Amino acid sequence: MGLNIGFRNLSEFMLCIAFVLCTLANGLSIHGVYNESPEQAVFWSDIKNSSDFNSTFNGGHLVVPRGEVWYLDESMEVETLTIQGQLKWDINKSGLEIRTGYLLVENGGYFQLGTVAQPMEREATVYITKKDASNHSHPEAGYRFLATVGEGSRIDIHGRQLDRTWTLLAQDVHPGDMELFVKHDANSMNWRVGDRIGLVTTNQGTSTVHHIKSIGPATEWQLGLTHATSGQDVTAHESAAQAVDGMSNTYWGSWCTWYWCTGEEQWIEVFLEDPSNVTKVLINWDGSRYAPKYAVEGRGPNANDPWVKLADAETLWGGWVEVHADKCGERCNVSSIRIKADYTSMKSRNTEPAWAGLRIWEIEVYGRELNKTIPSVIHLQEPVHQFHKGGIKEFKGYQFEMAAEVVNLERSVLITGDSEDFDRTLQGFHTAIFHKGIMDMRYARLENCGQRDLMGRYCIHLHIVGKCPTCTYKGNAIVNSAQAAITIHGTHDALVDDNIIWKSFGVGIYTEDGNEMNNTISRNVIVCPSGPLTCSATWQGKTAAQAGIYLIGMTNHLIENRVAAMENGVWTAGTHAPRGQGEAAGKVCPVHSPFGTIRGNVFHDNFRFGLYLDNQHPRKIKRDANGFLTDWASCDEFLPDGTDNGVRPANVIEDEFDYHNMFVGQYHMGDIAFLRYTSLNNAHSMYWKASKNFADGVSHHMKDCLFANDPSDPYGSLQVLGPSGPFTFRFTNNTFVGSPVGSAALNAGQHCGLVGAGGPCDVQYSLEGINWDGIDPQAKRIRFGINSVDEGMVLPIFLSKDDSLGGHKAMVSGHLRGFTNVPGCQKLGSVWDNAIACESQIRRLNVWAGDIGIINITGPGYLPKEEMNMARPVNGMDAGLMYYEDNFGTTVKGYGAPVLVGGNYTITGPWAGDVSFEFSDNILEELYNTSESVSLKIYDYSKIVTLNVSGNVSGNISGNVSKNVSWSQPDQPDPVPIQSCNIAASESRKFMTSNGPGAWAGKLDLSCKIVGPQLGQQGSQGGSTGGGAVTAPAPAPTPTAQSCAVGAQVPCCPDGSCSQVCSGSTCCPGKNGGQNTTCPSAVTDQASTCGAPKASDCTPAIRGRLEGQCFFPNKPWLAFYWDARCFFGMLGCLGDGVNVECRFCGAGDFSSIACPAAAAPFSTTAAPQVPTPAPTPAPTPATTPAPTPMP
């Protein structure tokens, strides 16, 4: 357009000069980020009043032309606004507003509403109106938006800066309170009168919005109490001290017998830390033993000072009663408070007789210390609705800042729009950066934003920007988001810091595709104000994606964020998109992507998990600058030579603090360590199913952690549910404090042997520096197995080199009775789960093979078969019976049993296929600074003789057998074993996976193994008697992995031992005469009908929907199909991130899953192609500083 408007007066000229100087002070020319020659700014007030405005601007669709600089000095209302030049806001005027159907910055344009150096201190509004979409939309940015499109386009929005956007309560608040004591001074944080603030729940309730009425001196606060005395204490556990201990589950009681009570003894006196002016007293009376009438009295610091009545009070029932000390006055000098009951009134309370006395659960005193500075507080316009915790909680000598967040929701800059139907449609405006644009948005409020179920339409969206260290979202308040409030998509190096997200459906912050790297997500507070689950919602077809922070892109930094009352706190959901999604589909492996820095986060009052790391195994993957893989093999579990490909050093979760969550932890996770984690009053202090030895060989699974549970808090239980598998779980310098203890303080082998968990169950728990002093001496410290198969209760091993196990070196399950025959071993009591403790070292022995039936180990610690216990959970394992563990047919694992270090054992089995024998872990040799080994003699069955044990047994074999157990033994043992081995713990673990070697059993670099024909094939017996591999004979045909075909009719007993078949609606027999859905019979009944297609024993039970379709916004290159047997955590399942039954197959990580004929075929174009780099000449060596390793 090019209007040439002169200055109207001297003040306008001076304003322009000031504007130029300020812009230059910010490091910009008058054209911001551009190097074009500057032009004189044109005032919007002149433009809109010019004669050619209406004819020039196309019916109100306004364009700021490239090369022009406009200055917004009056409000603007247009149909749409497109900025190709520059539009800058007059920050000296309050109440300016832009109303437009959309605001688009493109072609190198620039929109400025304040700068870092000169933010917009006054009120300013960008209002996105609702217009006809056909004339008010953009082909890429869509409908109703504020966005930049294209390289060089930029938006700067800078509202009034707050020194902090959130703080913490410094003291508890109760319903009706009008003052908030906060950790940081409200004036210093730049909070102001009239600001809306949010008070976050600390009890899984609701979070509420209030207004600041004033900021100034407190009128009263909770006073410190030192001790208490009374006229009558019943017992030590009902002493007066219990009424001032800060714990809601203890009390003072004054019960006395009817024949000597006079009533004069019915009083309690509490002593204040400092002389004070007392304003009120809060008393939590028992519902049965209360005083209908009583007096509250006070006296000075001297014992002979007279009692002064502060108030007369009455109550009709128990509970908290607030008594105002109206008679005290401003000059009241009180050092102690006495509550004295009217004994006559107690005779008419109609609950218990007066002689039953009083019971007070807690007393709190409020007022002002006379000689202390009065603190500044936030005075509220509206009262507090419910109790919120504040300040430092001290428990058992440890301090916890279990305090409600107080967040500021007010900003000088408001981005909003038409929203009268937002709660119904969930269709608001959205903001975005598209393709190499830049947005720096600080201290703005965005409300009623996002467009539910529309991909890419979020309150804040960084869309495929690439590297963008200048992209910053800091200090903003997002209120009411229809779906993921802040989405980082294909973007790296951005900053998302100090934002408040107050009610976002589904997810608060989302890294979308899986290639996002090195973004810093820090100090954000994410809250569902209406309480847990009320913000959970299906969005874009995602039903399970519910979390404050939801990551598909893992290599980002999470620092000091706080999430409250969401379904989950943070969820690293790599299994929801195991090959990435969107632009990164087929180019990333999120399950194996390393984390960035994760430190100092706090998650509380979430419905399910606080911290939820799911199924992550970070590896040394190779990526380009955009986060895309350059070598798919780098996602593999092993390097080509079998070396563990886990990330080195291990990723670390540091200084995590979680409270009031149902769970904290993960399912299957390796090469990630917890350091200084604190759990307080979670239902499960740690929840973990499977893990592995660290690739770096030095990290600890959990170190310097504190597990606490305050019994006065009604939520929580003290229990760590630990993982299992063929590895050593390093548990070091950890402390347990409080009660109640759940199943046990430390439980080994959670869900061991079940679907999705670890196995075999002979995991080794290495305990060092464990402090049990904070729990009840009679509380159970350890437990063998929790929610597991029978092996989980028999096979785990606890080890210690100090007094963590009460001075014992090792403990095995009390079910392994034979270990009491080992010198130095003894049976312990319930504190140690009736374990057998030994002064000898005990380690795991694993046999890696296919399912060849039951095998048998004999030697130290095992009973003769005539003395075995066949009842569950023992099932003869005390006599050395070893059962194949395959997690209900979902994985290939093996056999396990505890053995003595240096012991001599015999192991017998119907060997077939490749079999390898593994002993312990080399990490324990290093820890104990010893060389460890075990000797084996391996025998094969020369003639099959089957011993059947069933029903009620007699003689030395004990137990009420719950199942038929058959195993084979040589009629006359061979005089010479087929192999004798001395197995060292130091042997190579190449190709040893967290689930056992599976198909790599023959590849294991172990000295003791049998190489033979595959199951069901014929072979010849080897005759080697020394170490090394031998060839095993072929046994009778048994059900194999190759026979797992789906069919209309499948034998229940493939070995021919029964005649039943599963066909149509007829199932194989289940336990106790029940029916099963799998063929042959499963361990547990799965459903009452089996009308689904049948499959043999190596296939899991049908758990999902029989029919359905996968949902992919962009079709993946991998083949996929609908598998009704899928479950969460099963390999390949949840392929589309929506339906758990959608399963990948046939390639990559899923090559072990056979694709059925009906599977969607592989894409011929989308599979990632990684070029082989051309060889380059070796550079001349030069001395360079060592690079800083990336996580």
Side-chain angles (χ1 to χ4, degrees), residues 703-922:
K703 185 177 181 183
D704 300 332
C705 301
L706 175 60
F707 306 100
N709 204 84
D710 180 357
S712 69
D713 189 327
Y715 193 95
S717 179
L718 189 62
Q719 52 182 351
V720 171
L721 277 57
S724 62
F727 74 104
T728 297
F729 184 66
R730 300 195 68 182
F731 196 72
T732 307
N733 296 340
N734 301 315
T735 299
F736 292 91
V737 174
S739 64
V741 172
S743 50
L746 178 60
N747 301 265
Q750 185 204 184
H751 283 196
C752 181
L754 295 177
V755 173
C761 295
D762 57 341
V763 61
Q764 301 177 146
Y765 273 51
S766 175
L767 276 57
E768 185 175 356
I770 306 305
N771 183 354
W772 312 97
D773 293 343
I775 63 176
D776 189 302
Q778 302 305 312
K780 186 177 287 188
R781 298 183 179 186
I782 66 170
R783 176 171 168 170
F784 296 86
I786 178 70
N787 306 319
S788 70
V789 297
D790 291 345
E791 290 87 340
M793 304 176 194
V794 179
L795 300 181
I797 306 162
F798 287 90
L799 308 169
S800 178
K801 60 183 294 187
D802 56 21
D803 62 353
S804 296
L805 290 174
H808 302 290
K809 292 182 179 179
M811 289 185 186
V812 296
S813 168
H815 295 302
L816 297 177
R817 295 174 296 143
F819 278 88
T820 59
N821 299 325
V822 174
C825 294
Q826 59 178 308
K827 187 74 175 288
L828 302 180
S830 61
V831 168
W832 300 104
D833 198 23
N834 302 303
I836 297 171
C838 296
E839 307 318 308
S840 302
Q841 295 291 352
I842 299 175
R843 301 288 185 264
R844 66 177 177 90
L845 175 70
N846 288 100
V847 179
W848 303 115
D851 187 355
I852 54 177
I854 298 173
I855 62 178
N856 187 209
I857 184 171
T858 60
Y862 292 96
L863 299 171
K865 64 179 180 297
E866 293 81 7
E867 298 179 20
M868 70 172 63
N869 178 5
M870 286 305 301
R872 294 187 64 185
V874 187
N875 300 319
M877 284 181 274
D878 55 352
L881 298 192
M882 299 173 66
Y883 297 88
Y884 185 69
E885 297 184 45
D886 66 352
N887 293 64
F888 288 88
T890 61
T891 186
V892 179
K893 295 210 171 178
Y895 302 82
V899 294
L900 291 176
V901 173
N904 296 301
Y905 290 87
T906 295
I907 191 163
T908 308
W911 310 116
D914 294 335
V915 183
S916 295
F917 300 84
E918 182 204 10
F919 172 68
S920 190
D921 296 300
N922 52 24

Side-chain angles (χ1 to χ4, degrees), residues 1001-1191:
K1003 283 187 175 183
L1004 293 181
D1005 190 14
L1006 298 173
S1007 63
C1008 189
K1009 58 184 175 180
I1010 300 170
V1011 179
Q1014 297 305 306
L1015 295 176
Q1017 299 177 355
Q1018 297 300 313
S1020 58
Q1021 182 172 339
S1024 172
T1025 60
V1030 299
T1031 301
T1038 59
T1040 71
Q1042 287 76 16
S1043 67
C1044 287
V1046 174
Q1049 177 174 301
V1050 178
C1052 292
C1053 304
D1055 60 0
S1057 59
C1058 69
S1059 60
Q1060 291 98 331
V1061 295
C1062 54
S1063 175
S1065 61
T1066 303
C1067 299
C1068 290
K1071 68 174 184 177
N1072 301 323
Q1075 296 285 303
N1076 290 306
T1077 58
T1078 58
C1079 297
S1081 54
V1083 173
T1084 58
D1085 295 334
Q1086 301 293 340
S1088 59
T1089 178
C1090 62
K1094 307 302 187 297
S1096 59
D1097 211 12
C1098 49
T1099 304
I1102 292 172
R1103 298 187 169 201
R1105 295 163 291 178
L1106 298 179
E1107 296 181 354
Q1109 292 183 342
C1110 297
F1111 172 79
F1112 289 100
N1114 299 295
K1115 187 176 179 180
W1117 70 271
L1118 285 162
F1120 58 89
Y1121 68 103
W1122 190 270
D1123 187 348
R1125 293 177 174 83
C1126 271
F1127 55 85
F1128 283 101
M1130 187 174 180
L1131 182 64
C1133 296
L1134 199 68
D1136 60 0
V1138 177
N1139 302 290
V1140 70
E1141 300 91 346
C1142 185
R1143 194 175 193 190
F1144 289 125
C1145 60
D1149 287 346
F1150 317 109
S1151 57
S1152 61
I1153 305 170
C1155 292
F1162 292 95
S1163 169
T1164 58
T1165 60
Q1169 302 294 321
V1170 180
T1172 302
T1176 57
T1180 302
T1183 302
T1184 58
T1188 302
M1190 293 184 64

Side-chain angles (χ1 to χ4, degrees), residues 405-599:
E405 295 85 3
V406 183
V407 302
N408 193 311
L409 301 172
E410 202 72 42
R411 302 293 184 271
S412 60
V413 174
L414 173 64
I415 304 174
T416 186
D418 293 332
S419 57
E420 68 281 355
D421 61 352
F422 178 82
D423 291 338
R424 177 178 60 83
T425 65
L426 295 171
Q427 298 296 305
F429 70 92
H430 66 100
T431 76
I433 312 171
F434 290 97
H435 306 298
K436 303 296 184 182
I438 296 173
M439 190 179 295
D440 188 340
M441 182 187 292
R442 310 189 194 201
Y443 305 104
R445 175 181 166 109
L446 297 82
E447 60 185 24
N448 302 320
C449 46
Q451 297 170 2
R452 173 72 66 81
D453 294 331
L454 295 181
M455 187 173 291
R457 306 303 184 236
Y458 312 106
C459 292
I460 291 175
H461 184 199
L462 294 84
H463 179 74
I464 315 181
V465 185
K467 284 182 173 290
C468 192
T470 56
C471 290
T472 299
Y473 292 89
K474 180 178 177 64
N476 303 292
I478 301 174
V479 181
N480 294 342
S481 169
Q483 56 185 6
I486 300 177
T487 297
I488 304 171
H489 179 197
T491 300
H492 322 295
D493 303 317
L495 176 64
V496 176
D497 178 66
D498 206 25
N499 301 287
I500 308 300
I501 299 176
W502 188 267
K503 192 175 184 180
S504 179
F505 284 105
V507 168
I509 299 175
Y510 178 30
T511 59
E512 184 171 354
D513 277 359
N515 66 311
E516 297 81 16
M517 297 192 303
N518 302 322
N519 299 289
T520 298
I521 302 169
S522 55
R523 290 174 288 278
N524 303 285
V525 177
I526 304 167
V527 182
C528 180
S530 46
L533 289 184
T534 61
C535 292
S536 297
T538 299
W539 57 286
Q540 297 178 22
K542 304 177 191 296
T543 57
Q546 315 292 335
I549 301 174
Y550 183 79
L551 303 183
I552 301 297
M554 302 297 167
T555 312
N556 298 287
H557 310 300
L558 305 183
I559 301 172
E560 297 178 8
N561 299 284
R562 305 176 78 94
V563 179
M566 296 290 286
E567 185 168 329
N568 301 286
V570 63
W571 188 355
T572 57
T575 54
H576 281 197
R579 303 293 242 183
Q581 55 190 11
E583 294 287 324
K587 303 175 184 177
V588 295
C589 51
V591 171
H592 307 308
S593 298
F595 291 153
T597 298
I598 302 182
R599 184 182 66 242

Side-chain angles (χ1 to χ4, degrees), residues 180-398:
L180 300 183
F181 290 77
V182 291
K183 184 176 181 179
H184 305 91
D185 178 72
N187 287 315
S188 298
M189 294 189 293
N190 203 19
W191 294 17
R192 295 182 178 176
V193 172
D195 283 358
R196 286 167 286 187
I197 59 175
L199 181 56
V200 179
T201 181
T202 54
N203 58 12
Q204 292 204 333
T206 57
S207 303
T208 51
V209 176
H210 306 263
H211 292 80
I212 298 178
K213 180 179 181 180
S214 63
I215 301 170
T219 58
E220 63 184 19
W221 54 89
Q222 188 171 354
L223 303 173
L225 304 178
T226 60
H227 62 287
T229 62
S230 69
Q232 168 70 2
D233 282 349
V234 180
T235 62
H237 74 271
E238 295 181 289
S239 68
Q242 308 286 81
V244 295
D245 61 2
M247 300 179 67
S248 60
N249 64 336
T250 61
Y251 60 86
W252 163 66
S254 66
W255 182 91
C256 61
T257 55
W258 63 271
Y259 50 81
W260 65 264
C261 283
T262 66
E264 292 300 318
E265 67 286 327
Q266 301 299 315
W267 58 266
I268 182 172
E269 182 179 3
V270 299
F271 293 83
L272 280 60
E273 288 182 352
D274 298 291
S276 302
N277 177 18
V278 174
T279 57
K280 68 181 179 183
V281 179
L282 270 63
I283 309 164
N284 189 5
W285 288 103
D286 182 72
S288 179
R289 299 181 184 178
Y290 63 93
K293 295 182 179 181
Y294 53 97
V296 177
E297 303 171 327
R299 70 176 174 186
N302 300 314
N304 57 354
D305 286 345
W307 286 104
V308 176
K309 184 174 288 188
L310 306 181
D312 288 310
E314 297 184 9
T315 185
L316 299 177
W317 50 75
W320 282 102
V321 176
E322 183 174 306
V323 180
H324 290 272
D326 298 327
K327 298 181 180 180
C328 188
E330 289 296 324
R331 298 183 179 181
C332 193
N333 183 349
V334 174
S335 293
S336 65
I337 294 288
R338 183 170 70 175
I339 300 166
K340 187 175 182 180
D342 181 332
Y343 192 67
T344 301
S345 74
M346 292 169 59
K347 295 178 180 180
S348 60
R349 61 188 177 189
N350 296 324
T351 53
E352 294 191 52
W355 54 261
L358 303 173
R359 181 178 289 171
I360 294 179
W361 292 87
E362 199 67 27
I363 297 172
E364 296 177 357
V365 181
Y366 290 77
R368 300 182 296 275
E369 291 97 342
L370 297 180
N371 299 318
K372 287 191 175 181
T373 302
I374 299 177
S376 179
V377 298
I378 295 174
H379 297 270
L380 302 176
Q381 287 186 11
E382 307 87 0
V384 173
H385 296 170
Q386 55 187 250
F387 175 76
H388 297 260
K389 294 181 182 293
I392 302 296
K393 178 187 185 72
E394 186 165 330
F395 176 62
K396 296 280 188 178
Y398 296 91

Side-chain angles (χ1 to χ4, degrees), residues 586-651:
K587 303 175 184 177
V588 295
C589 51
V591 171
H592 307 308
S593 298
F595 291 153
T597 298
I598 302 182
R599 184 182 66 242
N601 298 290
V602 178
F603 306 124
H604 67 90
D605 294 285
N606 297 290
F607 180 75
R608 292 186 71 240
F609 282 83
L611 177 69
Y612 184 15
L613 300 180
D614 204 356
N615 290 277
Q616 292 301 121
H617 284 264
R619 294 175 182 158
K620 296 183 292 183
I621 61 176
K622 298 178 180 178
R623 295 178 283 188
D624 62 18
N626 203 29
F628 296 145
L629 290 166
T630 59
D631 181 2
W632 261 103
S634 67
C635 296
D636 291 345
E637 191 163 8
F638 305 108
L639 299 177
D641 67 352
T643 302
D644 190 333
N645 192 34
V647 67
R648 308 181 190 200
N651 288 165

